[in-house]
Amino acid sequence: MAPFSRGFLPSFIKLLTRYPCRSRKESLCRFSGYAAQKQQQQQHQHQRGPGAPLPASVDAHGGVTVHHLPADVTEATFSELLRESVCVWRSEGRVAVWLRVPLCRSRLAEAAALQGFTYHHAVRDEAVLSLWMGDGESRLPNYATHQVGVAGAVVNQSNGKVLVVQDKNRAKNMWKFPGGLSNPSENIGDTAVREVFEETGVRSEFRSLLSIRQQHHHPGAFGNSDMYLICRLAPVTYDINFCKHECLRCEWMDLARLAKASDTAPITSRIAKLLLYGLETGFHNIDLSMEELPAVYTGLVYQIHHRTIPERYK
């Protein structure tokens, strides 16, 4: 190790005198921490370089997404850094910027708004802001235009009965198929099976998609449109242990009775008649079967629902 220069010790003692601490050991620690922090900042500045943009990923549509904001940055510093970054992205021909701002850093959203960013959506503890930089009006897609509800019609083919419930705390209690809203990244068949079990205690298996209803101005959908899908399920268990928090009644009901019942919604009556037709002529006449196909862009798979086609056409 190289020896200290003759002028180092007097300078260090003068530093301790100017900034007194509880002990010289604490002073040394503070001095060492300051030096390390200064060196780290200089290295970071060197890596980023003059005019380098915020770290961001490029998507397939010509936009960039900033997933992580700099730690412990002030609004003024962030504003300048964001302005420099937008200039770089414009020069690179990027058409849009997506800025992910966690709730605990929401103070930085104002700095982004002053540069033209607007809120696109917010989920739990994170808001996403966007800036359109392409030609003409913004072509960025809207977010969450629909909510997806899924119900399961659990049919016992041996006796022609179907599982139905009446919701609790409704002004008018009507018989319906058990169901609820689909969770993010949840396939509709899985939603139907899960909701049926949570509401009735009956376990079931997915068989097919029966119908899709689209409805606008749906109450309780926060201004979004509503997609309501009904699946045909096969029972695995039959004993009912329904959720008393959600349901007033639950029973296995004859499809013929449900099709003619006055205390049910029109869509429930229609699906009951569809299921009767399937029982009499074969479910292949009413089922939209499900098949998994490879997704082009993600390398994963997706589910497609359609009427069954002969093998020679596949």
Side-chain angles (χ1 to χ4, degrees), residues 291 308-314:
E291 187 177 356
T308 302
I309 59 176
E311 286 293 330
R312 67 178 183 273
Y313 285 96
K314 292 185 178 180

Side-chain angles (χ1 to χ4, degrees), residues 22-170:
R22 293 180 182 177
S23 65
R24 293 197 173 189
K25 181 179 180 181
E26 185 178 352
S27 299
L28 180 61
C29 291
R30 290 190 178 185
F31 178 77
S32 301
Y34 170 79
Q37 183 180 6
K38 192 68 176 177
Q39 183 180 10
Q40 185 177 8
Q41 290 175 350
Q42 291 174 348
Q43 290 177 350
H44 177 74
Q45 181 66 23
H46 175 72
Q47 292 174 356
R48 195 177 71 84
L54 289 163
S57 61
V58 181
D59 59 46
H61 304 286
V64 295
T65 301
V66 178
H67 296 277
H68 305 288
L69 302 182
D72 301 326
V73 66
T74 65
E75 289 91 332
T77 302
F78 175 73
S79 179
E80 182 60 28
L81 183 57
L82 183 60
R83 183 178 291 105
E84 294 177 0
S85 300
V86 169
C87 288
V88 173
W89 292 324
R90 286 185 187 276
S91 67
E92 294 175 348
R94 305 303 177 194
V95 297
V97 182
W98 302 91
L99 192 64
R100 309 184 76 94
V101 181
L103 184 61
C104 61
R105 313 288 295 285
S106 58
R107 56 188 173 81
L108 301 181
E110 181 180 0
L114 293 174
Q115 298 188 40
F117 282 80
T118 58
Y119 281 115
H120 185 264
H121 67 275
V123 178
R124 296 186 182 276
D125 60 350
E126 183 181 68
V128 177
L129 284 70
S130 63
L131 175 68
W132 173 252
M133 300 189 300
D135 297 331
E137 294 184 1
S138 173
R139 297 195 298 273
L140 295 178
N142 292 325
Y143 180 80
T145 59
H146 289 68
Q147 68 175 15
V148 179
V150 185
V154 187
V155 181
N156 185 345
Q157 297 185 53
S158 64
N159 58 14
K161 291 188 175 184
V162 65
L163 189 64
V164 289
V165 298
Q166 286 186 351
D167 285 341
K168 196 173 184 180
N169 301 322
R170 292 291 183 93

Side-chain angles (χ1 to χ4, degrees), residues 128-287:
V128 177
L129 284 70
S130 63
L131 175 68
W132 173 252
M133 300 189 300
D135 297 331
E137 294 184 1
S138 173
R139 297 195 298 273
L140 295 178
N142 292 325
Y143 180 80
T145 59
H146 289 68
Q147 68 175 15
V148 179
V150 185
V154 187
V155 181
N156 185 345
Q157 297 185 53
S158 64
N159 58 14
K161 291 188 175 184
V162 65
L163 189 64
V164 289
V165 298
Q166 286 186 351
D167 285 341
K168 196 173 184 180
N169 301 322
R170 292 291 183 93
K172 184 178 181 180
N173 291 308
M174 298 187 295
W175 290 110
K176 60 183 283 289
F177 302 118
L181 293 178
S182 187
N183 292 328
S185 303
E186 185 177 44
N187 291 324
I188 59 175
D190 296 334
T191 302
V193 169
R194 174 181 58 78
E195 286 288 343
V196 165
F197 177 71
E198 290 176 357
E199 292 189 11
T200 71
V202 173
R203 297 188 180 276
S204 59
E205 294 178 341
F206 174 80
R207 287 292 180 264
S208 71
L209 175 64
L210 292 173
S211 68
I212 302 173
R213 181 207 69 191
Q214 185 176 24
Q215 178 175 310
H216 306 292
H217 310 295
H218 183 73
F222 305 101
N224 294 324
S225 297
D226 176 72
M227 299 288 287
Y228 179 63
L229 298 85
I230 300 180
C231 300
R232 182 172 70 86
L233 309 179
V236 176
T237 62
Y238 299 88
D239 293 336
I240 293 174
N241 182 21
F242 69 91
C243 176
K244 294 180 174 59
H245 295 290
E246 295 187 37
C247 304
L248 183 65
R249 299 170 64 186
C250 177
E251 66 178 68
W252 291 97
M253 183 181 292
D254 288 326
L255 274 170
R257 175 190 162 194
L258 182 63
K260 298 178 181 179
S262 58
D263 53 347
T264 186
I267 188 172
T268 305
S269 177
R270 175 60 62 88
I271 298 303
K273 295 173 183 176
L274 185 69
L275 289 168
L276 279 173
Y277 175 65
L279 278 175
E280 295 174 359
T281 65
F283 286 120
H284 63 277
N285 289 315
I286 66 171
D287 283 346

